[in-house]
Amino acid sequence: MKPALHIAIDQAFHQARQALAAHDPQRAYPWLERAHILSQRLPLPHARSHWLMLLAGWQQRDLREVLGQALRIPAALLFSRLWVPLGNTGRARVSAFKPMPLAEELRRLLD
């Protein structure tokens, strides 16, 4: 993994965990979405992004998010190296199969 990508993923997880520790899932979600996009091809960090989204959903008492993330965790472990929809933010309200526009900054990190 490129050092810049590794640093960006670590930073996103760090910021998300800080927000979750403060019980601020709304602040955590943008960081978790960033971590998800950057780690989609890496099974363990990809699954970690879904686990933390599940925790954010739990903090919000959002059953749809919790259940959606519970289904995505094993999928992330199994399929990350085979195929991922580029740019997908990983939230439960977004189809797990839908590619999404990718910010130029994230594209550079992934190239």
Side-chain angles (χ1 to χ4, degrees):
M1 178 179 355
K2 296 187 323 185
L5 177 60
H6 181 74
I7 290 167
I9 291 170
D10 285 349
Q11 177 194 31
F13 279 130
H14 176 75
Q15 293 293 330
R17 288 192 77 63
Q18 281 190 325
L20 291 173
H23 295 278
D24 190 353
Q26 291 296 49
R27 185 168 53 104
Y29 279 124
W31 290 106
L32 292 171
E33 290 171 353
R34 179 181 175 87
H36 178 266
I37 291 166
L38 293 174
S39 68
Q40 276 183 303
R41 297 190 188 277
L42 307 166
L44 292 177
H46 185 187
R48 181 180 179 200
S49 72
H50 288 296
W51 168 249
L52 293 174
M53 285 184 200
L54 184 149
L55 294 179
W58 183 261
Q59 284 185 1
Q60 288 186 298
R61 302 298 185 247
D62 182 343
L63 184 60
R64 179 179 181 183
E65 193 70 41
V66 170
L67 293 176
Q69 297 307 329
L71 295 172
R72 284 168 167 82
I73 293 168
L77 292 169
L78 294 171
F79 298 111
S80 291
R81 296 215 182 252
L82 300 175
W83 178 83
V84 293
L86 189 63
N88 186 291
T89 61
R91 295 287 303 276
R93 67 175 175 267
V94 174
S95 168
F97 303 103
K98 180 182 180 183
M100 299 174 78
L102 192 59
E104 187 57 37
E105 175 209 3
L106 299 181
R107 185 179 304 285
R108 281 192 306 272
L109 287 167
L110 292 170
D111 285 341

